[in-house]
PDB file of all heavy atoms in Angstrom:
ATOM      1  N   SER A  22      13.737  21.213 -10.685  1.00 87.00           N
ATOM      2  CA  SER A  22      14.542  22.051  -9.787  1.00 87.00           C
ATOM      3  C   SER A  22      14.092  21.962  -8.328  1.00 87.00           C
ATOM      4  O   SER A  22      14.783  22.474  -7.445  1.00 87.00           O
ATOM      5  CB  SER A  22      14.473  23.514 -10.241  1.00 87.00           C
ATOM      6  OG  SER A  22      13.132  23.982 -10.233  1.00 87.00           O
ATOM      7  N   HIS A  23      12.949  21.328  -8.069  1.00 88.00           N
ATOM      8  CA  HIS A  23      12.486  21.193  -6.686  1.00 88.00           C
ATOM      9  C   HIS A  23      13.444  20.268  -5.930  1.00 88.00           C
ATOM     10  O   HIS A  23      13.824  19.207  -6.426  1.00 88.00           O
ATOM     11  CB  HIS A  23      11.071  20.616  -6.651  1.00 88.00           C
ATOM     12  CG  HIS A  23      10.415  20.723  -5.309  1.00 88.00           C
ATOM     13  ND1 HIS A  23      10.674  19.831  -4.288  1.00 88.00           N
ATOM     14  CD2 HIS A  23       9.520  21.624  -4.813  1.00 88.00           C
ATOM     15  CE1 HIS A  23       9.954  20.177  -3.225  1.00 88.00           C
ATOM     16  NE2 HIS A  23       9.252  21.243  -3.518  1.00 88.00           N
ATOM     17  N   PRO A  24      13.853  20.647  -4.707  1.00 87.00           N
ATOM     18  CA  PRO A  24      14.853  19.846  -3.973  1.00 87.00           C
ATOM     19  C   PRO A  24      14.461  18.391  -3.776  1.00 87.00           C
ATOM     20  O   PRO A  24      15.315  17.505  -3.810  1.00 87.00           O
ATOM     21  CB  PRO A  24      14.955  20.576  -2.628  1.00 87.00           C
ATOM     22  CG  PRO A  24      14.559  21.980  -2.931  1.00 87.00           C
ATOM     23  CD  PRO A  24      13.510  21.883  -3.988  1.00 87.00           C
ATOM     24  N   LEU A  25      13.179  18.102  -3.570  1.00 86.00           N
ATOM     25  CA  LEU A  25      12.749  16.730  -3.319  1.00 86.00           C
ATOM     26  C   LEU A  25      12.833  15.856  -4.566  1.00 86.00           C
ATOM     27  O   LEU A  25      12.896  14.631  -4.463  1.00 86.00           O
ATOM     28  CB  LEU A  25      11.317  16.710  -2.777  1.00 86.00           C
ATOM     29  CG  LEU A  25      11.155  17.177  -1.339  1.00 86.00           C
ATOM     30  CD1 LEU A  25       9.683  17.285  -0.972  1.00 86.00           C
ATOM     31  CD2 LEU A  25      11.865  16.230  -0.385  1.00 86.00           C
ATOM     32  N   LEU A  26      12.842  16.471  -5.742  1.00 87.00           N
ATOM     33  CA  LEU A  26      13.017  15.723  -6.985  1.00 87.00           C
ATOM     34  C   LEU A  26      14.462  15.764  -7.471  1.00 87.00           C
ATOM     35  O   LEU A  26      14.973  14.782  -8.007  1.00 87.00           O
ATOM     36  CB  LEU A  26      12.077  16.269  -8.074  1.00 87.00           C
ATOM     37  CG  LEU A  26      10.580  16.089  -7.833  1.00 87.00           C
ATOM     38  CD1 LEU A  26       9.779  16.729  -8.949  1.00 87.00           C
ATOM     39  CD2 LEU A  26      10.238  14.612  -7.707  1.00 87.00           C
ATOM     40  N   LYS A  27      15.102  16.898  -7.255  1.00 85.00           N
ATOM     41  CA  LYS A  27      16.495  17.028  -7.676  1.00 85.00           C
ATOM     42  C   LYS A  27      17.410  16.102  -6.896  1.00 85.00           C
ATOM     43  O   LYS A  27      18.418  15.622  -7.413  1.00 85.00           O
ATOM     44  CB  LYS A  27      16.937  18.483  -7.489  1.00 85.00           C
ATOM     45  CG  LYS A  27      18.304  18.798  -8.049  1.00 85.00           C
ATOM     46  CD  LYS A  27      18.614  20.281  -7.888  1.00 85.00           C
ATOM     47  CE  LYS A  27      19.981  20.621  -8.456  1.00 85.00           C
ATOM     48  NZ  LYS A  27      20.285  22.070  -8.304  1.00 85.00           N
ATOM     49  N   SER A  28      17.056  15.809  -5.650  1.00 83.00           N
ATOM     50  CA  SER A  28      17.921  15.011  -4.776  1.00 83.00           C
ATOM     51  C   SER A  28      17.797  13.504  -5.024  1.00 83.00           C
ATOM     52  O   SER A  28      18.537  12.737  -4.420  1.00 83.00           O
ATOM     53  CB  SER A  28      17.592  15.306  -3.310  1.00 83.00           C
ATOM     54  OG  SER A  28      16.234  14.996  -3.043  1.00 83.00           O
ATOM     55  N   ILE A  29      16.877  13.060  -5.873  1.00 84.00           N
ATOM     56  CA  ILE A  29      16.714  11.613  -6.107  1.00 84.00           C
ATOM     57  C   ILE A  29      17.143  11.226  -7.527  1.00 84.00           C
ATOM     58  O   ILE A  29      16.649  10.236  -8.083  1.00 84.00           O
ATOM     59  CB  ILE A  29      15.269  11.167  -5.860  1.00 84.00           C
ATOM     60  CG1 ILE A  29      14.290  11.893  -6.780  1.00 84.00           C
ATOM     61  CG2 ILE A  29      14.879  11.361  -4.413  1.00 84.00           C
ATOM     62  CD1 ILE A  29      12.884  11.324  -6.752  1.00 84.00           C
ATOM     63  N   SER A  30      18.065  11.998  -8.100  1.00 86.00           N
ATOM     64  CA  SER A  30      18.605  11.678  -9.428  1.00 86.00           C
ATOM     65  C   SER A  30      17.488  11.589 -10.463  1.00 86.00           C
ATOM     66  O   SER A  30      17.073  10.506 -10.882  1.00 86.00           O
ATOM     67  CB  SER A  30      19.393  10.360  -9.389  1.00 86.00           C
ATOM     68  OG  SER A  30      20.427  10.411  -8.454  1.00 86.00           O
ATOM     69  N   ARG A  31      16.989  12.737 -10.846  1.00 85.00           N
ATOM     70  CA  ARG A  31      15.810  12.780 -11.716  1.00 85.00           C
ATOM     71  C   ARG A  31      16.038  12.049 -13.045  1.00 85.00           C
ATOM     72  O   ARG A  31      15.093  11.490 -13.613  1.00 85.00           O
ATOM     73  CB  ARG A  31      15.386  14.222 -11.976  1.00 85.00           C
ATOM     74  CG  ARG A  31      16.451  15.083 -12.610  1.00 85.00           C
ATOM     75  CD  ARG A  31      16.011  16.528 -12.746  1.00 85.00           C
ATOM     76  NE  ARG A  31      17.043  17.355 -13.364  1.00 85.00           N
ATOM     77  CZ  ARG A  31      18.022  17.935 -12.704  1.00 85.00           C
ATOM     78  NH1 ARG A  31      18.104  17.767 -11.402  1.00 85.00           N
ATOM     79  NH2 ARG A  31      18.916  18.666 -13.339  1.00 85.00           N
ATOM     80  N   ASN A  32      17.292  12.049 -13.566  1.00 89.00           N
ATOM     81  CA  ASN A  32      17.545  11.350 -14.832  1.00 89.00           C
ATOM     82  C   ASN A  32      17.292   9.856 -14.704  1.00 89.00           C
ATOM     83  O   ASN A  32      16.678   9.240 -15.582  1.00 89.00           O
ATOM     84  CB  ASN A  32      18.985  11.606 -15.284  1.00 89.00           C
ATOM     85  CG  ASN A  32      19.218  13.063 -15.647  1.00 89.00           C
ATOM     86  OD1 ASN A  32      18.290  13.766 -16.067  1.00 89.00           O
ATOM     87  ND2 ASN A  32      20.441  13.537 -15.484  1.00 89.00           N
ATOM     88  N   PHE A  33      17.743   9.277 -13.597  1.00 92.00           N
ATOM     89  CA  PHE A  33      17.527   7.845 -13.397  1.00 92.00           C
ATOM     90  C   PHE A  33      16.089   7.550 -12.984  1.00 92.00           C
ATOM     91  O   PHE A  33      15.588   6.458 -13.206  1.00 92.00           O
ATOM     92  CB  PHE A  33      18.515   7.303 -12.357  1.00 92.00           C
ATOM     93  CG  PHE A  33      19.902   7.157 -12.900  1.00 92.00           C
ATOM     94  CD1 PHE A  33      20.825   8.171 -12.749  1.00 92.00           C
ATOM     95  CD2 PHE A  33      20.274   6.004 -13.567  1.00 92.00           C
ATOM     96  CE1 PHE A  33      22.106   8.043 -13.257  1.00 92.00           C
ATOM     97  CE2 PHE A  33      21.550   5.860 -14.083  1.00 92.00           C
ATOM     98  CZ  PHE A  33      22.473   6.885 -13.938  1.00 92.00           C
ATOM     99  N   SER A  34      15.429   8.544 -12.395  1.00 92.00           N
ATOM    100  CA  SER A  34      14.006   8.373 -12.094  1.00 92.00           C
ATOM    101  C   SER A  34      13.207   8.252 -13.390  1.00 92.00           C
ATOM    102  O   SER A  34      12.339   7.382 -13.534  1.00 92.00           O
ATOM    103  CB  SER A  34      13.495   9.551 -11.267  1.00 92.00           C
ATOM    104  OG  SER A  34      14.176   9.629 -10.021  1.00 92.00           O
ATOM    105  N   VAL A  35      13.513   9.123 -14.357  1.00 92.00           N
ATOM    106  CA  VAL A  35      12.831   9.048 -15.651  1.00 92.00           C
ATOM    107  C   VAL A  35      13.199   7.756 -16.369  1.00 92.00           C
ATOM    108  O   VAL A  35      12.353   7.127 -17.025  1.00 92.00           O
ATOM    109  CB  VAL A  35      13.187  10.280 -16.505  1.00 92.00           C
ATOM    110  CG1 VAL A  35      12.620  10.151 -17.917  1.00 92.00           C
ATOM    111  CG2 VAL A  35      12.664  11.555 -15.848  1.00 92.00           C
ATOM    112  N   LEU A  36      14.452   7.332 -16.247  1.00 94.00           N
ATOM    113  CA  LEU A  36      14.877   6.084 -16.890  1.00 94.00           C
ATOM    114  C   LEU A  36      14.145   4.883 -16.290  1.00 94.00           C
ATOM    115  O   LEU A  36      13.761   3.950 -17.014  1.00 94.00           O
ATOM    116  CB  LEU A  36      16.391   5.918 -16.733  1.00 94.00           C
ATOM    117  CG  LEU A  36      17.061   4.864 -17.629  1.00 94.00           C
ATOM    118  CD1 LEU A  36      16.847   5.201 -19.092  1.00 94.00           C
ATOM    119  CD2 LEU A  36      18.547   4.772 -17.307  1.00 94.00           C
ATOM    120  N   SER A  37      13.936   4.897 -14.982  1.00 94.00           N
ATOM    121  CA  SER A  37      13.178   3.806 -14.363  1.00 94.00           C
ATOM    122  C   SER A  37      11.721   3.826 -14.819  1.00 94.00           C
ATOM    123  O   SER A  37      11.103   2.766 -15.020  1.00 94.00           O
ATOM    124  CB  SER A  37      13.264   3.897 -12.840  1.00 94.00           C
ATOM    125  OG  SER A  37      12.587   5.050 -12.355  1.00 94.00           O
ATOM    126  N   LEU A  38      11.152   5.016 -14.999  1.00 95.00           N
ATOM    127  CA  LEU A  38       9.793   5.121 -15.528  1.00 95.00           C
ATOM    128  C   LEU A  38       9.721   4.571 -16.945  1.00 95.00           C
ATOM    129  O   LEU A  38       8.715   3.945 -17.331  1.00 95.00           O
ATOM    130  CB  LEU A  38       9.327   6.578 -15.508  1.00 95.00           C
ATOM    131  CG  LEU A  38       8.956   7.153 -14.136  1.00 95.00           C
ATOM    132  CD1 LEU A  38       8.695   8.652 -14.234  1.00 95.00           C
ATOM    133  CD2 LEU A  38       7.733   6.444 -13.574  1.00 95.00           C
ATOM    134  N   LEU A  39      10.773   4.780 -17.732  1.00 95.00           N
ATOM    135  CA  LEU A  39      10.826   4.197 -19.075  1.00 95.00           C
ATOM    136  C   LEU A  39      10.800   2.675 -19.004  1.00 95.00           C
ATOM    137  O   LEU A  39      10.100   2.013 -19.787  1.00 95.00           O
ATOM    138  CB  LEU A  39      12.080   4.686 -19.807  1.00 95.00           C
ATOM    139  CG  LEU A  39      12.313   4.098 -21.202  1.00 95.00           C
ATOM    140  CD1 LEU A  39      11.169   4.462 -22.140  1.00 95.00           C
ATOM    141  CD2 LEU A  39      13.646   4.591 -21.769  1.00 95.00           C
ATOM    142  N   GLY A  40      11.552   2.108 -18.057  1.00 95.00           N
ATOM    143  CA  GLY A  40      11.554   0.660 -17.898  1.00 95.00           C
ATOM    144  C   GLY A  40      10.199   0.125 -17.473  1.00 95.00           C
ATOM    145  O   GLY A  40       9.701  -0.877 -18.033  1.00 95.00           O
ATOM    146  N   PHE A  41       9.577   0.786 -16.506  1.00 95.00           N
ATOM    147  CA  PHE A  41       8.244   0.349 -16.082  1.00 95.00           C
ATOM    148  C   PHE A  41       7.229   0.519 -17.208  1.00 95.00           C
ATOM    149  O   PHE A  41       6.309  -0.296 -17.360  1.00 95.00           O
ATOM    150  CB  PHE A  41       7.795   1.123 -14.840  1.00 95.00           C
ATOM    151  CG  PHE A  41       8.445   0.674 -13.572  1.00 95.00           C
ATOM    152  CD1 PHE A  41       9.248   1.536 -12.828  1.00 95.00           C
ATOM    153  CD2 PHE A  41       8.252  -0.613 -13.088  1.00 95.00           C
ATOM    154  CE1 PHE A  41       9.841   1.123 -11.650  1.00 95.00           C
ATOM    155  CE2 PHE A  41       8.842  -1.039 -11.916  1.00 95.00           C
ATOM    156  CZ  PHE A  41       9.643  -0.170 -11.191  1.00 95.00           C
ATOM    157  N   GLY A  42       7.382   1.586 -18.005  1.00 95.00           N
ATOM    158  CA  GLY A  42       6.488   1.773 -19.145  1.00 95.00           C
ATOM    159  C   GLY A  42       6.645   0.669 -20.181  1.00 95.00           C
ATOM    160  O   GLY A  42       5.652   0.203 -20.767  1.00 95.00           O
ATOM    161  N   MET A  43       7.888   0.248 -20.423  1.00 95.00           N
ATOM    162  CA  MET A  43       8.109  -0.885 -21.334  1.00 95.00           C
ATOM    163  C   MET A  43       7.454  -2.154 -20.813  1.00 95.00           C
ATOM    164  O   MET A  43       6.863  -2.926 -21.585  1.00 95.00           O
ATOM    165  CB  MET A  43       9.611  -1.115 -21.510  1.00 95.00           C
ATOM    166  CG  MET A  43      10.320  -0.078 -22.343  1.00 95.00           C
ATOM    167  SD  MET A  43      12.105  -0.400 -22.421  1.00 95.00           S
ATOM    168  CE  MET A  43      12.132  -2.089 -23.039  1.00 95.00           C
TER     169      MET A  43
END
Side-chain angles (χ1 to χ4, degrees):
S22 60
H23 193 279
L25 287 173
L26 294 177
K27 187 177 180 180
S28 59
I29 60 170
S30 303
R31 58 184 180 274
N32 294 332
F33 285 94
S34 298
V35 173
L36 195 60
S37 67
L38 286 172
L39 177 62
F41 284 118
M43 288 177 55

